[in-house]
Each structure stands twice: as structure tokens, then as C-alpha cells.
Amino acid sequence: MPNYQNYFTRPYDDLKQLCHASAAQYGERVFLLPKNKKHESALSYRRFCADVDALGTALLCRGWGGKRVLLLGESRTEWAIAFMALICGVGTVIPLDHTLRSDAIAEIARKTNAHAVICPEARVARLRERLPDTDLLTLEALESKINDGYARIRQGDRTYLDAAIDPDALATAVYTSGGTGEPRAVMLSHRNLCFALSEICKMVYLDEEDVFLSTLPLHHIYGIVSSLLCPLYRGASVAFCETLDRFTETMREVRPTVMPCIPALPEQLYRNLCLRLREAGLASRFALRIKLTDAIPSKEARLTAKRRIFASIHQMFGGRMRLFIAGGAPINPDCLHGLCALGFTAIQGYGMTESAALIALNRDTYHNARAAGISTPHTLLDVYDPAHDGIGEIRFRGENRMLGYLDDPQATAKVIRDGWLYTGDLGTIDDDGFVYLLGRQENVIRVNNRAVIPEELESLLTKNRSVREAAVIADPYAAKKAAPVALILPDPARVARLQKKHGDRADAALDLELRRAITEVNGSVAAHKRIKAYILLSEPLPKNASQKLLRGALAEQVRANALRKRKV
């Protein structure tokens, strides 16, 4: 029988109720850690909630009640306060990527009928030119608005404090990542978000002793739920990583215990660790230690032994890291296995913006590195219209299913049918309930009327040490029938070693290794799935802010690199 339990969670109808309950329960415990300890101070739960109420009061007095508001900015304290103030009694908050061009932001403002924009000071001038009738407020000005709100509350203004929240009404519209098409604004309610939080925390243990390190963009639902709302729900602390350039330094400063992340980050950390062990001649020694500690029958004793024996590695992560939660895309199972072997708990989950970031999740005490997860305690998962091999479209049902797409009932009707959310993801579910994702329906390549799932081939290619990134599409130059072609970014460390070893013949040596990698893949799949050619890239594949592959740009990359295409 599976060894797991549901952890206790408190139900909340809305985020305002949750925020006040956390402030009452956790009081002066630190919620938001400062980015720069010299110039900022930590923010307690009680102060965070009070600042939210004060800002909400000021924004209602500004005339924003019931309005749609765009929120832009990097991950920082002011962004978190603004998000909570807007969603807990002002209007509908629409988070956006702060790196978007001003023209794109203006277009979204018009399309969503936004009344106001909160943004960094540096964006105001250009946005004012494009949105002359829109109320603009800078993140830098929020402190004065918060002070104004405190003054109004002291004078007896309870408009915001007493504002009723409809848990089933539109609360936020969060844009999809756009990795597989045009981004859409997904309508989510307080009930959607609170339900998702409760389900996550039933499956993964989190408490007030935890420190989250946030590396995720907060304008995406995965970042909002995992790096802001989950810690708020459980009384944990949060530190925002300014840039990945400072990641190692931030790890040492913050000493986190939990890190929600996209797969690329732990995969890179684990790849670098394995490389350092090989170069130091320690790989076999560590493999023996892993084997010995794996033999310890008690899980608690096993983890204790691993953390002691691999203490030097744990210090690289700050010394207290216990839990990695990867999401946003499938992760290499070897990475999860490797991190678990070293004494970490490393799991992955599966979700969409349309499901408030949660569809399936591996439990911290019951997990499968190859699977996206299992259904949560109060949701349903199903494979719709499976083929003879069990592969079909994953569909989902739960209280975190979106209200629909903003102002787009036709698009909504295509994905929500009979109460089910049809994800567009192809996959299978095994007898233990684990979900295995294979790829997106829209990415399928048809070869002789037979389906080729690009993500399957990409996963096999990236297992090779010479391949850093890979993408597979139908060759746009194939005249009569589709032919899978691979775009490959070689691993820089491997390239450097080949150059050191072979000098002028390094390119030929790399070509030979990549051909062998493709031949191995082709030998493990059906004939119609075999890759016919590859293109060697010198730059990373195109991705969005959440590091999802922009497949719409791949055909152009093939065309731009047509002369570099090599037949296998």
C-alpha cells in the first residue's frame, strides 16, 4: 500500500480571510525577507496584512473599486502588497510580464478594459504616451499610498476592511505563458486559488519553519501560487532571488528550505554537480556512499545519514534545503533521482494557468520521478478517448478549474465541456494513479498518418551528455511527407572538452557524438518516429519568461539555419 497521508489544512473561502488569519496566527514572524539587508528590513505577517489593508483603502479612495488593474514589476515586496491589496477588495488584478514592450502593455490594457496600471517608475513615461486616459501609479509611490491608507483607517475609514468578497467572482486574470500559442487571460476566483492551496498543502508538508527561495516570475500563476500564496498560507518566509546571476550568493545568504522552480534550474545545478565530481575523480566514491545509505531501511535514518555524509553538497544549497518542487514542464527523472539520492526531497507537479497551477502533484512521501504526479485528494483526473496504447488527452475536474477565458466564451467552450477541463496534453495514467505526460496535441507531427510526439524524442535526446537543449519539429522543407528534424544546442562543457582534446577537429568529433546520440534515439523508437536530420545551434532555443519553449518560432529557426542542416 502507498505510504502517504493528507496533511491537515484549514479551509478558506477567500484570500482576504486567509491573509488576516495568517497575520493573527503568525504575528511577528517574518513573511517577506529583504533583498538587500543593508537597505531593507524584513516584513512580518502582521505588518504585511496591515500594509495590504492600508493600500487597499487608499486605492478605493482613488476610485479603483470594481476596476481592472494591470500590475507590472519584478518580484519584490511592493508587488506582493499590491497584488494582495487589489485582489482582496479593490478590483480585478491582471499581472503582466514587466519586460513586455510598452506597445504590448497598452494593447492589453485596451483589450482587457483596464482602468489603471501599477508599474515601475521607469515605465511610466512611455505608458503615459500610449495610455493617456489610464490612471498610472508607480511601485515606488506605493509607500506613500500605504501611509495615506493608514491615516484614513485611523480616521475611521473601514470601506476596504469591511468590503465583502464573493469567493466565486472574478478575482484575477492571469495570462498563460504562450508557449504553444497566443497567450490568453485566464479568469480565476478566490475559491479557485484557496482550493488549490489547500490541495497542495495536503500533499506536501510545509510549515512556519520553512524559508522559500522564489526564482519564479510572479506574473505567472505558478509563481503566484507556489512562491507567494503557499508560504502565506503556511506561515513560511519568502526571499525573492533578484537574478539567477546572484543565485548561489542568495542561497548562501537566505539558506532556504524549499524551492519551487522550473526544471531547468535543478537540472543545471545537478549537471554542474555531477561534472565537478567527475573532474575531481570522486564520482565512484559518491556512488558507493549513495548505495550504502540507500540500504538504510528507515526513511528518517536514511535521510539523516545522507545529509551528514553529503554535508558538503548540502552546504552548496545553503545547508538547510530539503525540498525541490519542479513545475512548468517535465523534468529529467535522472535529476530527481540524483537529488533524492543525496538526501533532498525532489518532486515534480503538473498544472496549467487554467487550473490555478495544479492538476497533479507527487507527494513528498510517495513520489515517482518519471511521473508528473497523482491527482489531489478532492480532484479528478481522466484520460479522454484513449488509443489502444492508453494514450489520450488528459482532462481534469476540480474547484480550482478556471471560470473561463476573459471576454472569450468561444475559447472557453472549447476547453471546458461537461465540467471537465480538457488540457490538450497527451498522456497516460497507470494503475497507481500516476500521470505520465507525453506532449501537447497541437505539437504532434503526422508521418504516414501516424503520430510522432516531439516531446518524447526531445526527452530522449537531452539524456545524452553532449546535448544541452533539443527541439523536434516537422521539417518545413519536406515537400511530400513530414520528416522529424531536430534542433540541438550542444552542452558547452562538453564542447570545451572536445576542443581541448581534439583541437581543430573538435567540430568533427562533436558531429560524430551528436549523430551517435540521434542514432541511439532512432534505434529505440518506431520507424516513423526516427529523426531524419539535425541542425546544430549556437544559441539557446527560443523561450518565454517562464522558460517554456516557443514552438511557434522553431520553423523560422530551421529556415534560418537551412544551410547547417545535416542528414543523419
Side-chain angles (χ1 to χ4, degrees), residues 5-7 9 198-204 363 377-378:
Q5 63 177 332
N6 289 337
Y7 300 111
T9 62
S198 178
E199 293 291 281
I200 291 168
C201 294
K202 282 183 173 73
M203 300 181 74
V204 178
R363 291 178 178 269
H378 299 102

Side-chain angles (χ1 to χ4, degrees), residues 41 128 219 339 342 358 364 400 434 441 505 551 564:
S41 58
R128 200 178 299 282
H219 62 273
L339 290 172
L342 294 170
L358 179 67
D364 55 1
N400 52 321
F434 281 103
Q441 277 187 327
R505 294 185 53 78
R551 291 190 178 272
R564 304 178 68 185

